[in-house]
Amino acid sequence: KAGVTQTPRYLIKTRGQQVTLSCSPISGHRSVSWYQQTPGQGLQFLFEYFSETQRNKGNFPGRFSGRQFSNSRSEMNVSTLELGDSALYLCASSLTGDGETQYFGPGTRLLVL
Amino acid sequence: GDSVTQMEGPVTLSEEAFLTINCTYTATGYPSLFWYVQYPGEGLQLLLKATKADDKGSNKGFEATYRKETTSFHLEKGSVQVSDSAVYFCALSGRNNDYKLSFGAGTTVTVRA
């Protein structure tokens, strides 16, 4: 089976712009989660989707949003980018999400200038 | 809420040395526990997991035992190789319908030839 794929792998944006990141889960996985990884804060949970419904959201401002499509693919959007949004954004998928192994993609590295 | 406390690094070892990375957790109920590894420029890969007390997860010479009495899941490897140089993350999934992984801060391990 193909693993979790994320596009793009690298992105450079300027402050105030918005960005959309994409994630395709492992075939058959219906839960998709997003995490932000930074040197200062480590790995932080953004949100989780299952069957197009957001089931949980981390402690991030409303500028961070996401959605899931009927084929389980997911996107996350960050509006009005700030310098502090520079990070590695990781997507993970699992069958149903609770207590299961989450399989991670390679991440999208976002640099905000 | 759920949390993971992980031994701070960095850790530098010689090849064939013994590696231990301590991990303790706080969670209600019976979480699933994981060790993930991250190589430079990559996403997280599952190293091993355990889903109930006294379970031992093992993979590639690494082992960790789920100890409920001490709320610990320490990672060990008897003889490390240069290729084991990476960042190691301890994580838990609460299985309490919050659908997320809580991560430790990560431990950077460098193995010298």
PDB file of all heavy atoms in Angstrom, chain A residues 21-54:
ATOM      1  N   LEU A  21      -2.436  23.238   2.343  1.00  0.00           N
ATOM      2  CA  LEU A  21      -1.628  22.029   2.296  1.00  0.00           C
ATOM      3  C   LEU A  21      -2.545  20.840   2.103  1.00  0.00           C
ATOM      4  O   LEU A  21      -3.670  20.817   2.628  1.00  0.00           O
ATOM      5  CB  LEU A  21      -0.837  21.850   3.603  1.00  0.00           C
ATOM      6  CG  LEU A  21      -0.082  23.077   4.132  1.00  0.00           C
ATOM      7  CD1 LEU A  21       0.671  22.709   5.408  1.00  0.00           C
ATOM      8  CD2 LEU A  21       0.852  23.625   3.093  1.00  0.00           C
ATOM      9  N   SER A  22      -2.038  19.826   1.391  1.00  0.00           N
ATOM     10  CA  SER A  22      -2.871  18.684   1.059  1.00  0.00           C
ATOM     11  C   SER A  22      -2.288  17.389   1.605  1.00  0.00           C
ATOM     12  O   SER A  22      -1.068  17.238   1.700  1.00  0.00           O
ATOM     13  CB  SER A  22      -3.020  18.584  -0.462  1.00  0.00           C
ATOM     14  OG  SER A  22      -3.830  17.502  -0.814  1.00  0.00           O
ATOM     15  N   CYS A  23      -3.173  16.482   1.932  1.00  0.00           N
ATOM     16  CA  CYS A  23      -2.768  15.189   2.487  1.00  0.00           C
ATOM     17  C   CYS A  23      -3.654  14.088   1.925  1.00  0.00           C
ATOM     18  O   CYS A  23      -4.886  14.184   1.978  1.00  0.00           O
ATOM     19  CB  CYS A  23      -2.893  15.226   4.010  1.00  0.00           C
ATOM     20  SG  CYS A  23      -2.648  13.634   4.827  1.00  0.00           S
ATOM     21  N   SER A  24      -3.024  13.023   1.410  1.00  0.00           N
ATOM     22  CA  SER A  24      -3.760  11.841   0.973  1.00  0.00           C
ATOM     23  C   SER A  24      -3.420  10.691   1.900  1.00  0.00           C
ATOM     24  O   SER A  24      -2.247  10.307   2.008  1.00  0.00           O
ATOM     25  CB  SER A  24      -3.394  11.479  -0.465  1.00  0.00           C
ATOM     26  OG  SER A  24      -3.869  12.458  -1.352  1.00  0.00           O
ATOM     27  N   PRO A  25      -4.410  10.140   2.604  1.00  0.00           N
ATOM     28  CA  PRO A  25      -4.133   9.082   3.579  1.00  0.00           C
ATOM     29  C   PRO A  25      -3.882   7.741   2.907  1.00  0.00           C
ATOM     30  O   PRO A  25      -4.091   7.593   1.700  1.00  0.00           O
ATOM     31  CB  PRO A  25      -5.426   9.036   4.400  1.00  0.00           C
ATOM     32  CG  PRO A  25      -6.488   9.447   3.435  1.00  0.00           C
ATOM     33  CD  PRO A  25      -5.828  10.472   2.546  1.00  0.00           C
ATOM     34  N   ILE A  26      -3.436   6.790   3.705  1.00  0.00           N
ATOM     35  CA  ILE A  26      -3.303   5.414   3.239  1.00  0.00           C
ATOM     36  C   ILE A  26      -4.689   4.915   2.822  1.00  0.00           C
ATOM     37  O   ILE A  26      -5.693   5.220   3.492  1.00  0.00           O
ATOM     38  CB  ILE A  26      -2.712   4.542   4.351  1.00  0.00           C
ATOM     39  CG1 ILE A  26      -1.253   4.938   4.603  1.00  0.00           C
ATOM     40  CG2 ILE A  26      -2.819   3.058   4.017  1.00  0.00           C
ATOM     41  CD1 ILE A  26      -0.632   4.298   5.826  1.00  0.00           C
ATOM     42  N   SER A  27      -4.730   4.164   1.744  1.00  0.00           N
ATOM     43  CA  SER A  27      -5.996   3.661   1.247  1.00  0.00           C
ATOM     44  C   SER A  27      -6.735   2.879   2.336  1.00  0.00           C
ATOM     45  O   SER A  27      -6.162   2.004   2.996  1.00  0.00           O
ATOM     46  CB  SER A  27      -5.731   2.737   0.053  1.00  0.00           C
ATOM     47  OG  SER A  27      -6.929   2.183  -0.431  1.00  0.00           O
ATOM     48  N   GLY A  28      -8.002   3.242   2.538  1.00  0.00           N
ATOM     49  CA  GLY A  28      -8.812   2.568   3.549  1.00  0.00           C
ATOM     50  C   GLY A  28      -8.823   3.273   4.889  1.00  0.00           C
ATOM     51  O   GLY A  28      -9.665   2.982   5.741  1.00  0.00           O
ATOM     52  N   HIS A  29      -7.893   4.180   5.092  1.00  0.00           N
ATOM     53  CA  HIS A  29      -7.879   4.946   6.348  1.00  0.00           C
ATOM     54  C   HIS A  29      -8.865   6.094   6.251  1.00  0.00           C
ATOM     55  O   HIS A  29      -8.880   6.844   5.268  1.00  0.00           O
ATOM     56  CB  HIS A  29      -6.473   5.489   6.624  1.00  0.00           C
ATOM     57  CG  HIS A  29      -5.515   4.456   7.087  1.00  0.00           C
ATOM     58  ND1 HIS A  29      -4.286   4.770   7.624  1.00  0.00           N
ATOM     59  CD2 HIS A  29      -5.605   3.107   7.115  1.00  0.00           C
ATOM     60  CE1 HIS A  29      -3.664   3.651   7.964  1.00  0.00           C
ATOM     61  NE2 HIS A  29      -4.445   2.628   7.664  1.00  0.00           N
ATOM     62  N   ARG A  30      -9.673   6.252   7.293  1.00  0.00           N
ATOM     63  CA  ARG A  30     -10.701   7.282   7.258  1.00  0.00           C
ATOM     64  C   ARG A  30     -10.429   8.434   8.220  1.00  0.00           C
ATOM     65  O   ARG A  30     -11.094   9.454   8.174  1.00  0.00           O
ATOM     66  CB  ARG A  30     -12.056   6.657   7.553  1.00  0.00           C
ATOM     67  CG  ARG A  30     -12.483   5.635   6.501  1.00  0.00           C
ATOM     68  CD  ARG A  30     -13.702   4.870   6.927  1.00  0.00           C
ATOM     69  NE  ARG A  30     -14.859   5.721   7.066  1.00  0.00           N
ATOM     70  CZ  ARG A  30     -16.009   5.325   7.638  1.00  0.00           C
ATOM     71  NH1 ARG A  30     -16.107   4.105   8.139  1.00  0.00           N
ATOM     72  NH2 ARG A  30     -17.028   6.152   7.728  1.00  0.00           N
ATOM     73  N   SER A  31      -9.449   8.242   9.105  1.00  0.00           N
ATOM     74  CA  SER A  31      -9.098   9.309  10.047  1.00  0.00           C
ATOM     75  C   SER A  31      -7.825   9.999   9.569  1.00  0.00           C
ATOM     76  O   SER A  31      -6.830   9.337   9.246  1.00  0.00           O
ATOM     77  CB  SER A  31      -8.883   8.715  11.439  1.00  0.00           C
ATOM     78  OG  SER A  31      -8.301   9.669  12.294  1.00  0.00           O
ATOM     79  N   VAL A  32      -7.870  11.313   9.533  1.00  0.00           N
ATOM     80  CA  VAL A  32      -6.697  12.106   9.163  1.00  0.00           C
ATOM     81  C   VAL A  32      -6.474  13.158  10.241  1.00  0.00           C
ATOM     82  O   VAL A  32      -7.402  13.878  10.623  1.00  0.00           O
ATOM     83  CB  VAL A  32      -6.879  12.796   7.797  1.00  0.00           C
ATOM     84  CG1 VAL A  32      -5.704  13.717   7.517  1.00  0.00           C
ATOM     85  CG2 VAL A  32      -7.010  11.752   6.684  1.00  0.00           C
ATOM     86  N   SER A  33      -5.234  13.227  10.709  1.00  0.00           N
ATOM     87  CA  SER A  33      -4.862  14.209  11.733  1.00  0.00           C
ATOM     88  C   SER A  33      -3.752  15.091  11.196  1.00  0.00           C
ATOM     89  O   SER A  33      -2.958  14.664  10.353  1.00  0.00           O
ATOM     90  CB  SER A  33      -4.366  13.505  12.991  1.00  0.00           C
ATOM     91  OG  SER A  33      -5.361  12.683  13.543  1.00  0.00           O
ATOM     92  N   TRP A  34      -3.671  16.295  11.729  1.00  0.00           N
ATOM     93  CA  TRP A  34      -2.619  17.236  11.359  1.00  0.00           C
ATOM     94  C   TRP A  34      -1.872  17.673  12.610  1.00  0.00           C
ATOM     95  O   TRP A  34      -2.483  17.900  13.670  1.00  0.00           O
ATOM     96  CB  TRP A  34      -3.217  18.475  10.685  1.00  0.00           C
ATOM     97  CG  TRP A  34      -3.764  18.221   9.320  1.00  0.00           C
ATOM     98  CD1 TRP A  34      -5.026  17.810   8.994  1.00  0.00           C
ATOM     99  CD2 TRP A  34      -3.076  18.390   8.079  1.00  0.00           C
ATOM    100  NE1 TRP A  34      -5.163  17.707   7.628  1.00  0.00           N
ATOM    101  CE2 TRP A  34      -3.988  18.059   7.040  1.00  0.00           C
ATOM    102  CE3 TRP A  34      -1.788  18.792   7.722  1.00  0.00           C
ATOM    103  CZ2 TRP A  34      -3.635  18.112   5.684  1.00  0.00           C
ATOM    104  CZ3 TRP A  34      -1.449  18.848   6.373  1.00  0.00           C
ATOM    105  CH2 TRP A  34      -2.360  18.515   5.371  1.00  0.00           C
ATOM    106  N   TYR A  35      -0.548  17.816  12.459  1.00  0.00           N
ATOM    107  CA  TYR A  35       0.312  18.246  13.554  1.00  0.00           C
ATOM    108  C   TYR A  35       1.272  19.313  13.035  1.00  0.00           C
ATOM    109  O   TYR A  35       1.696  19.279  11.882  1.00  0.00           O
ATOM    110  CB  TYR A  35       1.128  17.073  14.100  1.00  0.00           C
ATOM    111  CG  TYR A  35       0.297  15.987  14.724  1.00  0.00           C
ATOM    112  CD1 TYR A  35      -0.271  14.984  13.945  1.00  0.00           C
ATOM    113  CD2 TYR A  35       0.058  15.961  16.095  1.00  0.00           C
ATOM    114  CE1 TYR A  35      -1.057  13.987  14.509  1.00  0.00           C
ATOM    115  CE2 TYR A  35      -0.719  14.963  16.674  1.00  0.00           C
ATOM    116  CZ  TYR A  35      -1.278  13.983  15.869  1.00  0.00           C
ATOM    117  OH  TYR A  35      -2.043  13.004  16.431  1.00  0.00           O
ATOM    118  N   GLN A  36       1.614  20.215  13.927  1.00  0.00           N
ATOM    119  CA  GLN A  36       2.639  21.218  13.629  1.00  0.00           C
ATOM    120  C   GLN A  36       3.889  20.886  14.424  1.00  0.00           C
ATOM    121  O   GLN A  36       3.798  20.607  15.628  1.00  0.00           O
ATOM    122  CB  GLN A  36       2.137  22.613  14.025  1.00  0.00           C
ATOM    123  CG  GLN A  36       3.115  23.728  13.704  1.00  0.00           C
ATOM    124  CD  GLN A  36       2.784  25.023  14.430  1.00  0.00           C
ATOM    125  OE1 GLN A  36       2.809  25.075  15.652  1.00  0.00           O
ATOM    126  NE2 GLN A  36       2.463  26.065  13.665  1.00  0.00           N
ATOM    127  N   GLN A  37       5.033  20.902  13.770  1.00  0.00           N
ATOM    128  CA  GLN A  37       6.291  20.626  14.464  1.00  0.00           C
ATOM    129  C   GLN A  37       7.209  21.827  14.338  1.00  0.00           C
ATOM    130  O   GLN A  37       7.561  22.249  13.223  1.00  0.00           O
ATOM    131  CB  GLN A  37       6.986  19.385  13.898  1.00  0.00           C
ATOM    132  CG  GLN A  37       8.246  19.003  14.668  1.00  0.00           C
ATOM    133  CD  GLN A  37       8.898  17.743  14.150  1.00  0.00           C
ATOM    134  OE1 GLN A  37       8.728  17.351  13.000  1.00  0.00           O
ATOM    135  NE2 GLN A  37       9.653  17.077  15.015  1.00  0.00           N
ATOM    136  N   THR A  38       7.612  22.375  15.470  1.00  0.00           N
ATOM    137  CA  THR A  38       8.566  23.476  15.510  1.00  0.00           C
ATOM    138  C   THR A  38       9.638  23.160  16.536  1.00  0.00           C
ATOM    139  O   THR A  38       9.396  22.390  17.483  1.00  0.00           O
ATOM    140  CB  THR A  38       7.896  24.807  15.904  1.00  0.00           C
ATOM    141  OG1 THR A  38       7.303  24.647  17.206  1.00  0.00           O
ATOM    142  CG2 THR A  38       6.839  25.222  14.907  1.00  0.00           C
ATOM    143  N   PRO A  39      10.831  23.746  16.398  1.00  0.00           N
ATOM    144  CA  PRO A  39      11.892  23.483  17.379  1.00  0.00           C
ATOM    145  C   PRO A  39      11.495  23.913  18.788  1.00  0.00           C
ATOM    146  O   PRO A  39      11.846  23.267  19.759  1.00  0.00           O
ATOM    147  CB  PRO A  39      13.070  24.306  16.847  1.00  0.00           C
ATOM    148  CG  PRO A  39      12.801  24.459  15.397  1.00  0.00           C
ATOM    149  CD  PRO A  39      11.316  24.549  15.261  1.00  0.00           C
ATOM    150  N   GLY A  40      10.737  24.985  18.905  1.00  0.00           N
ATOM    151  CA  GLY A  40      10.405  25.500  20.228  1.00  0.00           C
ATOM    152  C   GLY A  40       9.243  24.800  20.911  1.00  0.00           C
ATOM    153  O   GLY A  40       9.278  24.557  22.117  1.00  0.00           O
ATOM    154  N   GLN A  41       8.231  24.448  20.148  1.00  0.00           N
ATOM    155  CA  GLN A  41       7.010  23.865  20.726  1.00  0.00           C
ATOM    156  C   GLN A  41       6.887  22.362  20.496  1.00  0.00           C
ATOM    157  O   GLN A  41       5.982  21.724  21.040  1.00  0.00           O
ATOM    158  CB  GLN A  41       5.774  24.554  20.139  1.00  0.00           C
ATOM    159  CG  GLN A  41       5.709  26.051  20.417  1.00  0.00           C
ATOM    160  CD  GLN A  41       5.623  26.330  21.893  1.00  0.00           C
ATOM    161  OE1 GLN A  41       4.872  25.665  22.621  1.00  0.00           O
ATOM    162  NE2 GLN A  41       6.404  27.290  22.367  1.00  0.00           N
ATOM    163  N   GLY A  42       7.769  21.797  19.718  1.00  0.00           N
ATOM    164  CA  GLY A  42       7.687  20.366  19.455  1.00  0.00           C
ATOM    165  C   GLY A  42       6.515  20.030  18.550  1.00  0.00           C
ATOM    166  O   GLY A  42       6.150  20.801  17.676  1.00  0.00           O
ATOM    167  N   LEU A  43       5.924  18.864  18.790  1.00  0.00           N
ATOM    168  CA  LEU A  43       4.812  18.375  17.979  1.00  0.00           C
ATOM    169  C   LEU A  43       3.499  18.724  18.661  1.00  0.00           C
ATOM    170  O   LEU A  43       3.223  18.286  19.772  1.00  0.00           O
ATOM    171  CB  LEU A  43       4.913  16.860  17.818  1.00  0.00           C
ATOM    172  CG  LEU A  43       5.918  16.378  16.786  1.00  0.00           C
ATOM    173  CD1 LEU A  43       6.434  14.999  17.135  1.00  0.00           C
ATOM    174  CD2 LEU A  43       5.269  16.367  15.395  1.00  0.00           C
ATOM    175  N   GLN A  44       2.693  19.493  17.966  1.00  0.00           N
ATOM    176  CA  GLN A  44       1.413  19.920  18.534  1.00  0.00           C
ATOM    177  C   GLN A  44       0.274  19.519  17.613  1.00  0.00           C
ATOM    178  O   GLN A  44       0.346  19.708  16.391  1.00  0.00           O
ATOM    179  CB  GLN A  44       1.396  21.434  18.735  1.00  0.00           C
ATOM    180  CG  GLN A  44       2.386  21.920  19.786  1.00  0.00           C
ATOM    181  CD  GLN A  44       2.212  23.400  20.036  1.00  0.00           C
ATOM    182  OE1 GLN A  44       2.604  24.224  19.234  1.00  0.00           O
ATOM    183  NE2 GLN A  44       1.599  23.728  21.165  1.00  0.00           N
ATOM    184  N   PHE A  45      -0.782  19.021  18.195  1.00  0.00           N
ATOM    185  CA  PHE A  45      -1.962  18.558  17.477  1.00  0.00           C
ATOM    186  C   PHE A  45      -2.778  19.744  16.978  1.00  0.00           C
ATOM    187  O   PHE A  45      -3.068  20.678  17.744  1.00  0.00           O
ATOM    188  CB  PHE A  45      -2.795  17.706  18.422  1.00  0.00           C
ATOM    189  CG  PHE A  45      -4.156  17.323  17.913  1.00  0.00           C
ATOM    190  CD1 PHE A  45      -4.286  16.347  16.943  1.00  0.00           C
ATOM    191  CD2 PHE A  45      -5.288  17.936  18.415  1.00  0.00           C
ATOM    192  CE1 PHE A  45      -5.543  15.981  16.487  1.00  0.00           C
ATOM    193  CE2 PHE A  45      -6.546  17.577  17.976  1.00  0.00           C
ATOM    194  CZ  PHE A  45      -6.674  16.597  17.002  1.00  0.00           C
ATOM    195  N   LEU A  46      -3.112  19.709  15.691  1.00  0.00           N
ATOM    196  CA  LEU A  46      -3.939  20.760  15.105  1.00  0.00           C
ATOM    197  C   LEU A  46      -5.415  20.370  15.074  1.00  0.00           C
ATOM    198  O   LEU A  46      -6.265  21.044  15.644  1.00  0.00           O
ATOM    199  CB  LEU A  46      -3.459  21.073  13.689  1.00  0.00           C
ATOM    200  CG  LEU A  46      -2.230  21.972  13.590  1.00  0.00           C
ATOM    201  CD1 LEU A  46      -1.513  21.756  12.268  1.00  0.00           C
ATOM    202  CD2 LEU A  46      -2.629  23.427  13.751  1.00  0.00           C
ATOM    203  N   PHE A  47      -5.724  19.303  14.340  1.00  0.00           N
ATOM    204  CA  PHE A  47      -7.106  18.810  14.276  1.00  0.00           C
ATOM    205  C   PHE A  47      -7.145  17.426  13.675  1.00  0.00           C
ATOM    206  O   PHE A  47      -6.159  16.953  13.101  1.00  0.00           O
ATOM    207  CB  PHE A  47      -8.060  19.739  13.490  1.00  0.00           C
ATOM    208  CG  PHE A  47      -7.407  20.614  12.449  1.00  0.00           C
ATOM    209  CD1 PHE A  47      -6.798  20.060  11.336  1.00  0.00           C
ATOM    210  CD2 PHE A  47      -7.431  21.984  12.580  1.00  0.00           C
ATOM    211  CE1 PHE A  47      -6.210  20.862  10.379  1.00  0.00           C
ATOM    212  CE2 PHE A  47      -6.847  22.802  11.628  1.00  0.00           C
ATOM    213  CZ  PHE A  47      -6.238  22.237  10.525  1.00  0.00           C
ATOM    214  N   GLU A  48      -8.308  16.787  13.826  1.00  0.00           N
ATOM    215  CA  GLU A  48      -8.537  15.442  13.325  1.00  0.00           C
ATOM    216  C   GLU A  48      -9.882  15.375  12.626  1.00  0.00           C
ATOM    217  O   GLU A  48     -10.859  15.972  13.105  1.00  0.00           O
ATOM    218  CB  GLU A  48      -8.491  14.417  14.465  1.00  0.00           C
ATOM    219  CG  GLU A  48      -8.527  12.953  14.003  1.00  0.00           C
ATOM    220  CD  GLU A  48      -9.905  12.325  13.971  1.00  0.00           C
ATOM    221  OE1 GLU A  48     -10.894  13.013  14.323  1.00  0.00           O
ATOM    222  OE2 GLU A  48      -9.996  11.132  13.595  1.00  0.00           O
ATOM    223  N   TYR A  49      -9.907  14.664  11.501  1.00  0.00           N
ATOM    224  CA  TYR A  49     -11.129  14.505  10.727  1.00  0.00           C
ATOM    225  C   TYR A  49     -11.426  13.041  10.498  1.00  0.00           C
ATOM    226  O   TYR A  49     -10.512  12.213  10.335  1.00  0.00           O
ATOM    227  CB  TYR A  49     -11.008  15.197   9.365  1.00  0.00           C
ATOM    228  CG  TYR A  49     -11.032  16.692   9.463  1.00  0.00           C
ATOM    229  CD1 TYR A  49      -9.865  17.408   9.668  1.00  0.00           C
ATOM    230  CD2 TYR A  49     -12.227  17.391   9.388  1.00  0.00           C
ATOM    231  CE1 TYR A  49      -9.881  18.781   9.791  1.00  0.00           C
ATOM    232  CE2 TYR A  49     -12.261  18.772   9.505  1.00  0.00           C
ATOM    233  CZ  TYR A  49     -11.078  19.460   9.703  1.00  0.00           C
ATOM    234  OH  TYR A  49     -11.100  20.823   9.831  1.00  0.00           O
ATOM    235  N   PHE A  50     -12.708  12.746  10.477  1.00  0.00           N
ATOM    236  CA  PHE A  50     -13.180  11.388  10.190  1.00  0.00           C
ATOM    237  C   PHE A  50     -14.499  11.522   9.459  1.00  0.00           C
ATOM    238  O   PHE A  50     -15.406  12.213   9.954  1.00  0.00           O
ATOM    239  CB  PHE A  50     -13.350  10.595  11.483  1.00  0.00           C
ATOM    240  CG  PHE A  50     -13.825   9.188  11.290  1.00  0.00           C
ATOM    241  CD1 PHE A  50     -12.933   8.174  11.015  1.00  0.00           C
ATOM    242  CD2 PHE A  50     -15.177   8.873  11.396  1.00  0.00           C
ATOM    243  CE1 PHE A  50     -13.356   6.870  10.842  1.00  0.00           C
ATOM    244  CE2 PHE A  50     -15.614   7.582  11.223  1.00  0.00           C
ATOM    245  CZ  PHE A  50     -14.703   6.571  10.951  1.00  0.00           C
ATOM    246  N   SER A  51     -14.601  10.888   8.323  1.00  0.00           N
ATOM    247  CA  SER A  51     -15.816  10.970   7.504  1.00  0.00           C
ATOM    248  C   SER A  51     -16.287  12.411   7.345  1.00  0.00           C
ATOM    249  O   SER A  51     -17.460  12.739   7.580  1.00  0.00           O
ATOM    250  CB  SER A  51     -16.942  10.125   8.134  1.00  0.00           C
ATOM    251  OG  SER A  51     -16.638   8.763   8.040  1.00  0.00           O
ATOM    252  N   GLU A  52     -15.372  13.256   6.981  1.00  0.00           N
ATOM    253  CA  GLU A  52     -15.624  14.661   6.651  1.00  0.00           C
ATOM    254  C   GLU A  52     -16.029  15.512   7.851  1.00  0.00           C
ATOM    255  O   GLU A  52     -16.459  16.667   7.682  1.00  0.00           O
ATOM    256  CB  GLU A  52     -16.692  14.760   5.549  1.00  0.00           C
ATOM    257  CG  GLU A  52     -16.327  14.018   4.272  1.00  0.00           C
ATOM    258  CD  GLU A  52     -17.404  14.064   3.212  1.00  0.00           C
ATOM    259  OE1 GLU A  52     -17.671  15.162   2.690  1.00  0.00           O
ATOM    260  OE2 GLU A  52     -17.990  12.997   2.908  1.00  0.00           O
ATOM    261  N   THR A  53     -15.907  14.971   9.057  1.00  0.00           N
ATOM    262  CA  THR A  53     -16.295  15.698  10.266  1.00  0.00           C
ATOM    263  C   THR A  53     -15.064  15.933  11.143  1.00  0.00           C
ATOM    264  O   THR A  53     -14.287  15.002  11.391  1.00  0.00           O
ATOM    265  CB  THR A  53     -17.347  14.903  11.061  1.00  0.00           C
ATOM    266  OG1 THR A  53     -18.505  14.725  10.251  1.00  0.00           O
ATOM    267  CG2 THR A  53     -17.719  15.633  12.349  1.00  0.00           C
ATOM    268  N   GLN A  54     -14.939  17.152  11.617  1.00  0.00           N
ATOM    269  CA  GLN A  54     -13.855  17.431  12.563  1.00  0.00           C
ATOM    270  C   GLN A  54     -14.279  16.932  13.930  1.00  0.00           C
ATOM    271  O   GLN A  54     -15.266  17.406  14.501  1.00  0.00           O
ATOM    272  CB  GLN A  54     -13.562  18.930  12.610  1.00  0.00           C
ATOM    273  CG  GLN A  54     -12.360  19.290  13.492  1.00  0.00           C
ATOM    274  CD  GLN A  54     -12.146  20.788  13.599  1.00  0.00           C
ATOM    275  OE1 GLN A  54     -12.697  21.454  14.469  1.00  0.00           O
ATOM    276  NE2 GLN A  54     -11.349  21.317  12.692  1.00  0.00           N
TER     277      GLN A  54
END
